[in-house]
Amino acid sequence: MKRRIAHRYDIMFWFLWSYAALLAATGLGIAWARGENILWGLVQIVTTEDALITDYVLVAGPGAALVNSALVTALSILVLRLSQDALNGMTLVVIGLMSGFSLFGKNFVNIWPILLGTWLYSKYRKEPFGDYANISLMATALAPIISYIALDNGWGNPFWGTLAGVAIGFAMPSLSVYTYRIQNGMNLYNVGFACGLVAFICVPLMSSLGADPTVHYRWASGYNRMFGEILVAFCLILIVSGLFFSRKPVWAAWAGYRWLLQSSGRAPSDFLRMYGHAPVLINMGINGLIGIFFILAVGGDLNGPTVGGILTIIGFSAYGKHAGNILPVMAGVTLGGFVMHWSLDDSAVQLACLFCTTLAPISGYFGWPYGVLAGFLHSSVVLYTGSPVAGMNLYNNGFSGGLVAIVLYPTILAIARRRKPVLQDEDYFDLIRRDEPVTPPEPDELKEAE
């Protein structure tokens, strides 16, 4: 009985492998149709310093970018499998992150030192690596540091790049626990905030040693129709699968989705364990369509970074995001486009339109007006948090989202709710290592003290 519960969602592996195969087949098909050299493209990806924003679609072509995404996704699945990680909603988050960000910053080479560092941390703690596998994969947001040190002629070399990655991977598990607690579940990209803190130490240290990291802006355009058709088809497949192929009546699947919409999304909110796979699949497809619509509506580009952002939203649709709590935050970014000096079609703002949904719990927990406020503030903060770290933290929106959450959460509580903020008691690692179903909390349930 114990074994059956411990591997409740093992069937998910087959779907994850199918997703990786779909990425590879799509990339190879595009490369064949466009006459791209996949091997040459992969070499370009691996040998490019990939700080934000480095669009692999521009660097190597869409075919090679998708194949790199497939390779990184497959490696991530293999790490989760070998580490005997318990599959749950966080697993879908990790796969969405890894497949998305491997279109602009992560590749099948620069992620390994960080994974090794976290593995060494688990051995040092004498604990299973499966307890830290998710954190290890998400911590690869700092992979550009490894690429920069390893590839920067005249300053770094592969040995020092590997050593830096190992040190980062070793430090991230303990740091992510601390940052999780101080954000009170209001920033879904907790590891992004932790990575931002590490980058704020690493980049000045590198500069003091003679490096000169600079922010890059490699941004592809002209792929809206191709990526639009692929993404819309993928989202529709998810919705149809949730409605008709989940071994549940259509009305039950839709009712479960409507129930899911009542959740605040405050972390930890494992929708897979709370509502089941049918509502989650529907939620993933609908949220993906929302992301596509937003980018096209503001006159943006579907390319490596924005497609990565949409895949990230789809992944987090299993852990905190739904249409009810992401739309107000996205509306806040849109509002900023009308009253501030930047335009919604700027590359960094397009990413903010997608990744601002890290603050979805503020909207779901306190109400949509606060979600609009959070998005409005985030749209400006995120434009200035990437430069000090020279784009070395791929989860820059997670870092800025953490700053906004830390400021807004106690302020809203003290003024609007007249309550005292208290730290959550949940154990961070205990949450991501379990997979048994849980009962969703009441939508209006508060955890703060009177």
Side-chain angles (χ1 to χ4, degrees):
M1 181 67 177
K2 182 178 180 180
R3 178 177 177 81
R4 182 178 66 84
I5 294 178
H7 299 275
R8 182 181 301 276
Y9 299 115
D10 262 4
I11 192 173
M12 189 192 302
F13 272 119
W14 294 103
F15 294 98
L16 296 180
W17 283 116
S18 299
Y19 173 61
L22 179 62
L23 287 172
T26 304
L28 292 172
I30 291 174
W32 179 81
R34 296 170 56 88
E36 295 179 14
N37 186 326
I38 290 291
L39 293 179
W40 177 88
L42 292 176
V43 170
Q44 291 297 114
I45 288 174
V46 171
T47 57
T48 297
E49 294 178 13
D50 40 24
L52 280 178
I53 302 173
T54 302
D55 188 347
Y56 287 162
V57 172
L58 181 64
V59 171
L66 286 170
V67 170
N68 178 66
S69 178
L71 290 172
V72 173
T73 302
L75 291 172
S76 303
I77 298 170
L78 191 61
V79 167
L80 294 174
R81 184 65 167 178
L82 294 178
S83 67
Q84 298 183 345
D85 174 72
L87 301 184
N88 49 38
M90 182 57 71
T91 306
L92 296 177
V93 168
V94 170
I95 295 302
L97 278 172
M98 297 303 289
S99 63
F101 278 88
S102 54
L103 295 172
F104 67 115
K106 299 181 184 181
N107 59 61
F108 59 94
V109 174
N110 65 8
I111 64 174
W112 285 109
I114 294 176
L115 298 179
L116 174 60
T118 309
W119 179 80
L120 291 174
Y121 176 83
S122 70
K123 295 303 178 183
Y124 172 77
R125 297 277 299 180
K126 297 181 180 180
E127 295 173 340
F129 177 61
D131 292 351
Y132 304 103
N134 287 293
I135 304 300
S136 179
L137 289 166
M138 289 188 286
T140 55
L142 294 172
I145 293 179
I146 300 167
S147 294
Y148 178 81
I149 297 176
L151 300 172
D152 187 60
N153 295 325
W155 186 78
N157 55 59
F159 172 78
W160 289 113
T162 301
L163 190 61
V166 171
I168 290 170
F170 195 89
M172 283 304 300
S174 56
L175 179 60
S176 63
V177 175
Y178 179 75
T179 57
Y180 171 76
R181 293 176 66 85
I182 64 175
Q183 295 170 91
N184 290 280
M186 293 296 156
N187 176 29
L188 293 176
Y189 303 165
N190 167 58
V191 176
F193 183 71
C195 287
L197 296 178
V198 173
F200 262 94
I201 295 175
C202 289
V203 173
L205 179 61
M206 291 161 55
S207 299
S208 299
L209 294 173
D212 185 26
T214 55
V215 178
H216 296 281
Y217 289 101
R218 298 185 178 98
W219 187 266
S221 59
Y223 297 94
N224 284 12
R225 180 172 181 178
M226 180 184 71
F227 281 127
E229 292 175 351
I230 294 172
L231 287 172
V232 168
F234 179 57
C235 291
L236 292 178
I237 289 173
L238 291 172
I239 295 173
V240 171
S241 298
L243 287 173
F244 300 102
F245 300 101
S246 59
R247 297 181 180 179
K248 287 188 176 183
V250 174
W251 67 265
W254 186 252
Y257 173 67
R258 292 181 60 186
W259 189 23
L260 182 152
L261 291 176
Q262 302 303 310
S263 169
S264 69
R266 180 180 184 176
S269 291
D270 188 337
F271 287 166
L272 183 63
R273 295 168 59 201
M274 292 163 64
Y275 303 101
H277 63 283
V280 167
L281 286 171
I282 297 171
N283 192 44
M284 294 169 75
I286 291 176
N287 288 352
L289 292 176
I290 291 173
I292 298 168
F293 172 79
F294 246 83
I295 291 298
L296 296 180
V298 300
D301 301 298
L302 289 175
N303 51 24
T306 55
V307 171
I310 292 169
L311 292 178
T312 299
I313 290 177
I314 291 175
F316 271 94
S317 299
Y319 203 90
K321 296 183 182 181
H322 56 70
N325 63 12
I326 67 174
L327 285 174
V329 187
M330 298 173 88
V333 176
T334 305
L335 177 63
F338 291 105
V339 301
M340 298 181 184
H341 70 275
W342 42 259
S343 173
L344 284 172
D345 59 3
D346 292 345
S347 57
V349 180
Q350 290 182 49
L351 292 181
C353 286
L354 298 172
F355 290 111
C356 69
T357 52
T358 182
L359 294 169
I362 291 181
S363 173
Y365 193 63
F366 292 113
W368 69 264
Y370 295 104
V372 173
L373 174 62
F376 183 82
L377 295 176
H378 177 81
S379 65
S380 291
V381 174
V382 72
L383 299 181
Y384 293 92
T385 53
S387 297
V389 298
M392 293 296 174
N393 176 24
L394 294 176
Y395 303 163
N396 181 47
N397 280 266
F399 179 69
S400 62
L403 295 176
V404 173
I406 290 172
V407 172
L408 278 186
Y409 176 74
T411 304
I412 295 173
L413 275 181
I415 297 175
R417 297 292 179 89
R418 297 185 180 182
R419 294 173 181 264
K420 295 181 180 180
V422 295
L423 296 177
Q424 295 186 77
D425 296 327
E426 288 88 353
D427 179 16
Y428 186 65
F429 292 111
D430 185 57
L431 286 163
I432 62 177
R433 68 163 66 103
R434 302 173 70 173
D435 63 354
E436 66 272 16
V438 293
T439 302
E442 293 297 326
D444 58 351
E445 179 182 334
L446 290 175
K447 298 180 180 179
E448 281 69 40
E450 294 286 354

